[in-house]
Amino acid sequence: MGDSLVFPLGISNEGIYEIDLVADGPHALVAGTTGAGKSELLRTLVMGLAANHGPEQLVFVLIDYKGGSAFDACATLPHVVGMVTDLDDHLAERALASLEAELHFRETELRTHGVTDIAELVRSGGSLPRLVVVIDEFATMRAELPEFMSALIGIAQRGRSLGVHLVL
């Protein structure tokens, strides 16, 4: 199970359309104009992943720069380990520090078990859930917290082998 994060995204002529965030990712960028359904797609992604994978396999940090309204329906999932909104100026900074600490922890876990990535860890009997960081209204967050960008780039670069995925 450490090798995939499959979830349904919609229906096509051939049936249910699924995406694997591991095989097709490891990261994703959702773009579109105002009102195009980006937030709805992100909720579908979160709920689809949660329906297909238990919290022992997958956890979320949800960052919502719409005041929390985009992920209200998802916040009570047992998979959600953090919810950040633009309503608390310091929460995003604390979340970033926590993400950096989580990357360090994951690097240490892989080194301790003598493996190079999370899939190898799980195959060898280890346990570490994949972490999906989902950010709605990324452009707003980027404008308000420009220092967050360099940190996210670092997370994206190191995240794949550590089982950390960004969906912006």
Side-chain angles (χ1 to χ4, degrees), residues 25-50:
H27 309 298
L29 177 64
V30 177
T33 60
T34 300
K38 297 178 301 292
S39 297
E40 190 62 38
L41 186 133
L42 291 175
R43 282 190 294 274
T44 299
L45 178 144
V46 169
M47 297 304 269
L49 280 167

Side-chain angles (χ1 to χ4, degrees), residues 4-114:
S4 71
L5 278 180
V6 176
F7 63 98
L9 191 60
I11 298 176
S12 71
N13 290 336
E14 290 80 37
I16 296 174
Y17 182 77
E18 295 182 322
I19 292 179
D20 183 345
L21 193 54
V22 173
D24 300 324
H27 309 298
L29 177 64
V30 177
T33 60
T34 300
K38 297 178 301 292
S39 297
E40 190 62 38
L41 186 133
L42 291 175
R43 282 190 294 274
T44 299
L45 178 144
V46 169
M47 297 304 269
L49 280 167
N52 281 3
H53 307 279
E56 68 284 347
Q57 300 164 322
L58 165 72
V59 293
F60 295 105
V61 170
L62 305 175
I63 301 175
D64 184 350
Y65 262 66
K66 270 189 183 175
S69 62
F71 294 127
D72 276 347
C74 303
T76 59
L77 289 169
H79 304 72
V80 176
V81 296
M83 174 84 168
V84 177
T85 74
D86 57 338
L87 300 178
D88 183 336
D89 293 337
H90 303 290
L91 196 54
E93 294 165 10
R94 290 194 308 260
L96 182 57
S98 295
L99 286 171
E100 286 294 334
E102 180 67 19
L103 288 180
H104 180 72
F105 168 76
R106 288 170 177 261
E107 289 168 337
T108 302
E109 281 293 296
L110 295 183
R111 186 177 322 124
T112 299
H113 287 88

Side-chain angles (χ1 to χ4, degrees), residues 107-166:
E107 289 168 337
T108 302
E109 281 293 296
L110 295 183
R111 186 177 322 124
T112 299
H113 287 88
V115 297
T116 59
D117 65 30
I118 191 169
E120 190 179 351
L121 174 70
V122 171
R123 284 191 302 270
S124 68
S127 176
L128 189 61
R130 288 187 177 272
L131 170 61
V132 180
V133 179
V134 185
I135 303 175
D136 195 20
E137 294 300 330
F138 174 67
T140 302
M141 188 192 76
R142 188 177 133 244
E144 291 181 16
L145 298 170
E147 67 280 2
F148 213 91
M149 271 308 292
S150 60
L152 281 179
I153 290 169
I155 291 168
Q157 290 172 331
R158 296 165 48 207
R160 184 203 54 79
S161 65
L162 301 174
V164 178
H165 306 270
L166 298 177

